[in-house]
Amino acid sequence: MPNIVLKAGSRPPWVGLAAAVWVLIAAGNGYNFPLYSPSLKSVLGLNQQQITILGVANDIGENIGLLPGIACNKFPPWALLSVGVVFCFLGYGVLWLTVTQTVIGLPYWLIWVALVVATNSTTWFGTAVLVTNMRNFPLSRGTVSGILKGYAGIAAAVYTVIYKLVLKESDSELLLILTLGIPILCLAMMYFIRPCSPASGVDSSEHVHFIFSQVASVLLALYLLITTIISGVVSLSDTVSYILVLIMVIILMSPLAIPVKMTLFPAEHKRHVPPSDSSDHLVPKEGESTPTDSLLTPSSSGTNLGSFYENEDALDAGMLLAVGEGAVKKRRPRRGEDFKIREALIKADFWLLWVVSFLGVGAGVTVLNNLAQIGVAFGLEDTTLLLTLFSFCNFVGRIGSGAISEHFVRLKMIPRTLWMTFALMVMLMTFILFAFALNGILYAAIPLLGISYGVLYAIMVPTVSELFGLKHFGLIYSFMGLGNPIGALLFSGMLAGYVYDAEAAKQSSSSCVGPDCFKVTFLVLAGVCGLGTILSIILTVRIRPVYELLYSGGSFRLPQTSGH
């Protein structure tokens, strides 16, 4: 990594976390596809399978994060955010020109590419803030992941409120906001997202600050849900609408209260960083190590993993003999240590985790991509409430699983993947409910699906960092994210789109109405989640000894890596 100016002290990481909230709301722009997809379908004259393939482009863009995963170890966060800004402007700009018919006759493939570019901005935004904050708070990974992924998940509800109350459900104006508003917002936050001196221990004040952040995010989620329901029932004046949006903005700013409080009422505590001439910056001299460097260099507690790794040493014996005398120095890292991507790719746990994510997230995103059409098939004209319900419950799943898994992993050393197992079981039952198509079932099934989808997303983040380390976390996590677009292509593009169009053809219409439109799709997805549940159980059993050693002292302990 290049030498990066580090912010010293206790306040800057919390400033970065508060700024990350806004960037992650911007990074949720991919969730807007159900809002403007009807306009694309109408303007371009597309059938359902074609619009579903555009939904796949949406998923490919927001999940192909290998480049930002590589870049996060080579460039500062502002560089990644800058790339995201450019992609967002170019991609959504083309979509805006299409929907407003400012430019007519753009080919379908160009719209597909523009959508990939537009939503790929989310990977640059998300990687920059997620990797930076995970490294700034390395001892509270589950909590930080839950908070950040929670805000990313609730972004759909934020956009829906703006779409209904301010933009009056204008698709063209929504795309203009995505084209210009998001880049401006991220440019404004760019300065505050930076590597900071991580704490060497968890104190009570940090715990209180995290609780405040979680409570603030829950209040925001509840406010958005209530506001959406009210706006759907009562006709609101422009003045009231703007006031409601202003209140939303104020709640979004609440995480800034933490660094403000720390500035006005500084706590007396022993500092863990060397003194500096400036209280704002800590610039390492030549030959010195930085707090970030020390975080990316393993600690000396690797002996805790010794007994567990004896069995793995036996399995690697053949490989070590092949290497020769230097084999011991060149041994592969163990679970819990820092892995390179090529080292992680040969681990069974890596692929188990990848397949579990691919099956669960791929099934969930199929419903999200087809939410507007599912609503119409079930007899609903306005699906914005469904999107808000999904967003709210997605948020609940993310922030709840982050906090709950952090509690139980410290208290009982329970692997976080156990919660993925529960989520997949709930998804299995949810898809069966979808297939029965009972009256009002959407309002029960969508929340369950949203919670489960959120759990899968939030649990993945700290699990990857705990099994494979933080040094190459950005790239490894980005590779894990590839399961989403692959699942979307298979389950949404090929399965759901084909079944929908076939049923619509039977009705001699371009739109399908009735339970049969998605029944086969839902039954297949139920089977997919059943397989995912079995694999998740196997993974949880395999990695239980790792968690028992990493959290045997009641808090996370970084293992030692040798041979790198």
Side-chain angles (χ1 to χ4, degrees), residues 4 36 84 89 100 124 149 185 213 246 260 271 297-298 321 329 383 392 415 471 492 503-504 549 561 563-564:
I4 299 175
Y36 61 80
F89 175 78
T100 58
W124 295 89
K149 282 295 184 179
L185 174 63
S213 300
L246 178 61
V260 170
R271 299 180 66 86
T297 303
L321 289 174
K329 295 182 181 179
T383 58
F392 173 77
K471 188 170 185 179
S492 182
E503 292 296 329
L549 290 163
T561 304
H564 278 282

Side-chain angles (χ1 to χ4, degrees), residues 67 162 184 228 276 299 409 426 435 519 538 549 551:
L67 288 179
I162 295 174
I184 292 172
T228 303
S276 172
S299 68
V409 78
V426 172
K519 186 173 184 178
I538 295 173
L549 290 163
Y551 287 92

